[in-house]
Amino acid sequence: MTILQSVSTTVDKNDVIRPLGSFENLFDLYTQRLPVQFSVIAELDSVVNPDDVRAALLKLQAAQPLLAVGVSRSGTTASFYRSANPIDLVVAPSGTPWEKVAIADQARALDVTTAPLARCTVVAHAHSSTIVMTFAHQIADGMSAAATLRDLVRALNGVELVARPMPAAQETLLAEAFEARPITPSEAPAQTNESPVQARLLENDESPVLSRLGSVRDFDSTPPDISSLVWPAELTSRVLACTRAQSTTLHALLTAAAVRVMFAETNRGSLALMNPMDIRRPSGADDSLALYFLSTRMGFTAEKSHDVWALAREIRQHIASAHTLEQLAGMSSGMSAASSSVSRVDDAIGAMVSFANYDVMVSNLGDLGTYEGHASLGSEVGAPLDTLGRRPEVGITDLFGPTMATQIAGSRYSRCRRSTGACAPP
C-alpha cells in the first residue's frame, strides 16, 4: 500500500501567488492521501520529436500559470507558489497504445508535495504520435485540460502562446461575475451552514438514494481497466440528429443510457446521478487551465429508466435549470461556506466522499467552443488549413479523456471523446 505524506513546503513570500480557494483546497488535501488525477490524450497526425515536446511544454508553462506552481502549506493558509521546475516528460516505447499509458498514469501518483502538478508522456508511432498529459485535479478540469493540450500542439507548430493571468479561484470567479450583474436582494445566492461532510449540491427532492454515503479505499498503485470504443462519424451524426428531434442532447442521451444499463446490471430500485457542469460560459471565464466545475445530482427509480428519451429530456432540463449564473453562484457560495473550515486531510476525505455520493456519472469534453478570443480546439482537429491557407505541421486527429480515478470504493468510470463520441467504458 502506498500512502502519500503531507509535506509542509516553505517558500519565499515573494513567490506566493494566491491562496487556494475552498474547492481547490478540498482537492489538494484529499490528494495528499488519495490521488485524484486525470489524463487527456491527443492523437497527432505526425511523428513529433521528444525534444520539441519539451520545448513546447516550457512555452506552455510560461503561458499557463497553474502549470508552473506548487502548493505550500507552511503558513496559516494553503497557497499556490511559483516554481521554475519543468514538467516531467516520459518517452514511452514506440507504438504503446494510449490506454496503456493512461493506465500507468493512474497507477503512479503525482507527487503533489512538489511542483509542477502535471506530467506528460509522448509516444511515437510509424506515422503519428500520442501525447498524454496528466493533471492533479486541484489545478484543472477536463475542459481546460483539453484546451491546454490544444495549446501544446500550437506551440509544437511554432505559435507564440500568449501568457495568461493567474485564474481566480472558482468561488471568487462566480461571486464576482454574479455581483457584476444588476440584481435585487431576492436574487442573492443562498448560503448554507452545513458541515463539510453534510454539504450537498443541488439535489432532486425525490432522491432518498442521495443519503447513501460511500467509502474510500487506500491507494495501492493497482492499475485500473481502461478501454475505448469509437463511434464512426456517420453514426455520431445520426445520433445527434435523433437527439435534436427528441428535444434533448447527446450528453443527456449518453447519461440516460448509462442509467438504464446500470439499472439492468444491478437490479437496484434507485440510483443517484451526478451531472458535472462547466462554469465557463455562464461566468464569462476563458479556457485557461483551472478547476472550474460544479455538479448537480438527481435520484431515479428503476421505472423511470424504461423510456430512455423521456429520461434524457428530464436530465437535459435538470442540467439547464441549474446551469445559470444565479444557480451556479448559489451552489458555489454554499460549497465555499461549508468547506471553508476544512484544514485536515481526514475532513477533506469526508467532504469528498459526500461530494462523490452518486452511482452514475458521465463526463465528456463537449463543445470546447471559443472563450474570450482563444481559438477553439477545432482549429487543430484534423489539421485544417489556417487563416493563411497553410496546413499545420502537427494536427490533432483524436482527443480522448478524461481518464480518472478518485479512490472511491467500487467506482467505475466512463469518459467520452470529443468529436466523434467515443467512450471509454468501465
Side-chain angles (χ1 to χ4, degrees):
M1 178 178 68
T2 301
I3 298 294
L4 305 181
Q5 298 298 319
S6 177
V7 175
S8 179
T9 303
T10 302
V11 300
D12 189 289
K13 64 179 181 180
N14 294 322
D15 289 330
V16 173
I17 304 174
R18 69 161 172 83
L20 271 64
S22 57
F23 202 33
E24 294 164 336
N25 185 53
L26 271 180
F27 272 95
D28 189 72
L29 282 170
Y30 185 92
T31 307
Q32 301 290 329
R33 185 179 302 166
L34 302 170
V36 181
Q37 60 200 46
F38 66 91
S39 302
V40 176
I41 301 96
E43 297 280 15
L44 310 181
D45 60 7
S46 57
V47 179
V48 295
N49 187 305
D51 289 338
D52 292 338
V53 177
R54 285 191 183 91
L57 285 170
L58 290 175
K59 293 179 181 179
L60 194 63
Q61 285 184 278
Q64 294 278 8
L66 284 173
L67 282 180
V69 301
V71 174
S72 171
R73 294 189 170 275
S74 59
T76 56
T77 303
S79 299
F80 287 120
Y81 67 89
R82 294 182 184 85
S83 170
N85 295 339
I87 292 173
D88 181 35
L89 178 65
V90 176
V91 181
S94 178
T96 304
W98 72 260
E99 292 91 341
K100 186 173 182 179
V101 176
I103 288 170
D105 263 4
Q106 285 302 314
R108 182 165 66 99
L110 275 166
D111 185 357
V112 296
T113 66
T114 62
L117 303 179
R119 62 170 172 252
C120 183
T121 301
V122 61
V123 186
H125 308 287
H127 305 289
S128 62
S129 302
T130 302
I131 290 181
V132 180
M133 283 201 72
T134 298
F135 305 85
H137 217 329
Q138 55 266 51
I139 65 165
D141 56 32
M143 291 282 286
S144 61
T148 297
L149 239 66
R150 171 209 60 199
D151 284 351
L152 177 61
V153 172
R154 284 183 175 155
L156 282 168
N157 283 317
V159 176
E160 291 299 322
L161 304 181
V162 177
R164 308 187 186 204
M166 180 69 173
Q170 174 170 282
E171 54 268 32
T172 301
L173 170 71
L174 285 170
E176 290 179 351
F178 189 76
E179 290 168 3
R181 298 174 58 209
I183 59 173
T184 64
S186 62
E187 293 178 309
Q191 298 282 340
T192 177
N193 293 318
E194 289 180 321
S195 71
V197 176
Q198 295 172 329
R200 294 290 187 270
L201 306 181
L202 281 179
E203 295 178 354
N204 187 327
D205 290 337
E206 301 175 1
S207 305
V209 300
L210 296 175
S211 63
R212 296 194 304 262
L213 289 180
S215 60
V216 297
R217 61 179 181 82
D218 291 328
F219 177 72
D220 58 5
S221 299
T222 299
D225 292 326
I226 297 177
S227 59
S228 61
L229 174 65
V230 179
W231 283 4
E234 180 184 357
L235 175 59
T236 302
S237 297
R238 286 164 49 200
V239 173
L240 282 171
C242 288
T243 59
R244 294 188 183 104
Q246 291 287 338
S247 301
T248 187
T249 63
L250 178 60
H251 173 79
L253 176 61
L254 290 172
T255 303
V259 168
R260 182 172 181 175
V261 169
M262 191 74 148
F263 273 123
E265 286 186 348
T266 62
N267 281 327
R268 286 175 49 177
S270 60
L271 291 174
L273 168 68
M274 175 77 87
N275 295 304
M277 300 179 297
D278 176 67
I279 70 168
R280 287 170 175 79
R281 284 194 177 93
S283 67
D286 66 16
D287 58 3
S288 293
L289 192 73
L291 179 62
Y292 284 170
F293 81 94
L294 285 167
S295 301
T296 70
R297 286 184 294 197
M298 306 173 68
F300 293 109
T301 58
E303 292 76 14
K304 277 194 173 183
S305 70
H306 298 313
D307 187 337
V308 171
W309 287 116
L311 186 57
R313 285 190 289 271
E314 182 178 349
I315 292 169
R316 181 203 179 196
Q317 180 56 43
H318 179 86
I319 295 173
S321 65
H323 202 212
T324 66
L325 182 56
E326 179 180 355
Q327 291 285 1
L328 293 172
M331 293 161 65
S332 176
S333 177
M335 176 178 284
S336 179
S339 60
S340 60
S341 62
V342 174
S343 60
R344 299 187 309 131
V345 171
D346 287 345
D347 292 338
I349 291 175
M352 290 291 282
V353 167
S354 175
F355 176 75
N357 181 24
Y358 59 88
D359 301 297
V360 181
M361 179 180 76
V362 174
S363 175
N364 67 70
L365 301 178
D367 179 11
L368 294 178
T370 301
Y371 299 95
E372 297 296 310
H374 298 295
S376 71
L377 177 70
S379 63
E380 269 84 33
V381 171
L385 299 179
D386 66 15
T387 56
L388 298 179
R390 300 170 304 190
R391 193 169 298 281
E393 181 180 348
V394 180
I396 299 175
T397 57
D398 287 302
L399 188 69
F400 293 89
T403 61
M404 182 187 75
T406 61
Q407 320 314 320
I408 299 295
S411 58
R412 299 186 299 171
Y413 296 88
S414 178
R415 296 292 189 251
C416 292
R417 185 184 82 177
R418 193 262 187 203
S419 186
T420 62
C423 296

